[in-house]
Amino acid sequence: MILRVGEGLNTLLHLHHQRLVRADRGAHGRGSNRTGRGGGDVVLRVPPGTVVRVAGDEKIIGDLVDEGQEMVVARGGRGGRGNARFSTATNRAPRTAEDGQPGEQFELDLELKMLADVGLVGLPNAGKSTLLARVSAARPKVADYPFTTLEPYLGVVQAVDDELRTLVMADIPGLIEGAHDGAGLGTQFLRHVERCPVLAHLVDLADPTSVEGRVDTIRGELIAHEEPLETRPWVLVGTKTDAVGDREATLAELAEVAEGYGVAWRSISAVTGEGIDRLVGVLFEMIEGAKER
Ligand SMILES: Nc1nc2c(ncn2[C@@H]2O[C@H](COP(=O)(O)OP(=O)(O)OP(=O)(O)O)[C@@H](O)[C@H]2O)c(=O)[nH]1
Ligand SMILES: [Mg+2]
């Protein structure tokens, strides 16, 4: 039984309904010179970023990252040897053959922790998927209701001045208060940003409620998450500047919130394109900074 990192796979959903995976059985050895045949390999495709553990055990036995990377998770039993293998000088036609051995079997936990450079976080409707669609070829669904995105998406973003410089951006479902405790789509998705060296925190500027309150809600969730996301470098991104009511006051509030947290901020509109290139530039700088560290 082999796990192999498959091209273009982003999720483990294809395994969700296939809980039991069994390789072909081999056969026992037999008379008339027949060795039992071995069972065939079963290859399960998994997305890059799949972490493998034996069920109930914390220890990671595999971390599948690279395209095509493989891991043998269970070995098949040896086929039984046929009677010819038992022949000796005095017994040319032995009647002995061997039984095949059973293969290994156990329960595995597969967990996907995506590998992206930038993780987009924010409340539902903040404009995360719209941004990803704007800057990459990824096409996550966009709609004006919360929890449009139900599974993570990855997109490759090219630098504005150099198409060979790329970064991977991850769009995850919107977070809500209590996410770290499992509210909404919760921790399921927070863990996808655990490995992102940089986070972009999106906040909807067209929403008339307090920017500070909404940013604090998401920060609170990142801090309460079991893995330390609190110290992860991040940039505060105000979205939908084309639809904001009092532009000046709102941008001032955004700047103040960013200053309070001691982080950089940008404002963007996915509709007019305002601020998008500059944001992408900032993200590249932050990732390079994080890699140096
Ligand atoms: N006017 C305007 N609308 C925007 C902009 N960006 C996103 N929207 C709209 O905001 C709504 C939500 O956008 P999404 O990208 O689906 O938001 P999301 O953060 O991915 O939401 P979830 O997947 O539910 O977490 C959609 O109706 C978008 O068209 C923008 O720059 N300007
Ligand atoms: Mg979305």
Side-chain angles (χ1 to χ4, degrees):
M1 188 85 62
I2 296 167
L3 300 182
R4 180 184 295 152
V5 177
E7 200 173 336
L9 269 183
N10 281 343
T11 74
L12 286 163
L13 281 179
H14 62 295
L15 296 176
H16 200 72
H17 298 290
Q18 193 188 1
R19 296 298 174 99
L20 178 67
V21 185
R22 198 195 277 279
D24 270 0
R25 53 168 293 137
H28 296 314
R30 311 238 227 119
S32 311
N33 300 339
R34 282 175 295 173
T35 294
R37 71 182 159 78
D41 294 341
V42 168
V43 177
L44 291 180
R45 294 191 328 130
V46 296
T50 301
V51 172
V52 188
R53 293 186 182 83
V54 174
D57 193 345
E58 287 291 291
K59 200 174 134 235
I60 292 170
I61 59 169
D63 188 0
L64 297 164
V65 169
D66 298 318
E67 199 64 63
Q69 187 181 343
E70 284 188 354
M71 169 182 181
V72 176
V73 285
R75 294 191 181 277
R78 210 162 47 82
R81 289 176 293 174
N83 70 328
R85 301 295 186 84
F86 296 93
S87 83
T88 61
T90 52
N91 184 359
R92 301 286 179 156
R95 304 192 70 93
T96 326
E98 201 179 42
D99 281 351
Q101 300 301 309
E104 293 178 315
Q105 55 175 316
F106 44 82
E107 203 173 318
L108 288 178
D109 279 338
L110 301 183
E111 184 186 13
L112 174 59
K113 292 190 179 187
M114 290 196 311
L115 299 165
D117 299 300
V118 177
L120 301 181
V121 294
L123 289 167
N125 257 336
K128 301 178 294 296
S129 303
T130 307
L131 174 61
L132 182 70
R134 173 100 201 189
V135 297
S136 78
R139 288 293 168 261
K141 189 172 163 193
V142 167
D144 64 352
Y145 54 82
F147 299 118
T148 308
T149 305
L150 295 174
E151 58 179 70
Y153 277 84
L154 293 180
V156 177
V157 182
Q158 295 175 337
V160 176
D161 51 353
D162 178 0
E163 62 184 30
L164 294 179
R165 254 172 92 215
T166 57
L167 64 79
V168 177
M169 185 180 273
D171 172 25
I172 65 166
L175 301 169
I176 58 172
E177 188 165 352
H180 71 279
D181 267 341
L185 299 166
T187 37
Q188 276 193 63
F189 294 109
L190 265 179
R191 67 163 194 265
H192 289 299
V193 297
E194 282 170 13
R195 295 182 173 193
C196 298
V198 170
L199 301 178
H201 181 153
L202 273 57
V203 60
D204 180 353
L205 299 183
D207 181 331
T209 65
S210 153
V211 170
E212 182 173 23
R214 284 178 287 133
V215 171
D216 288 349
T217 298
I218 298 297
R219 284 306 296 169
E221 292 310 313
L222 297 180
I223 290 164
H225 184 60
E226 58 204 5
E227 296 278 325
L229 291 171
E230 185 174 0
T231 53
R232 197 65 46 92
W234 60 289
V235 55
L236 182 61
V237 182
T239 63
K240 313 189 192 179
T241 51
D242 61 281
V244 63
D246 184 344
R247 188 184 161 99
E248 215 164 295
T250 310
L251 289 184
E253 189 187 358
L254 182 70
E256 201 174 303
V257 174
E259 199 175 312
Y261 279 107
V263 297
W265 64 275
R266 282 280 169 269
S267 58
I268 60 168
S269 164
V271 170
T272 65
E274 179 192 345
I276 302 273
D277 285 356
R278 287 187 63 198
L279 172 63
V280 168
V282 167
L283 295 175
F284 272 99
E285 279 167 27
M286 289 179 75
I287 283 160
E288 274 146 31
K291 279 181 181 157
E292 272 166 32
R293 267 199 301 284

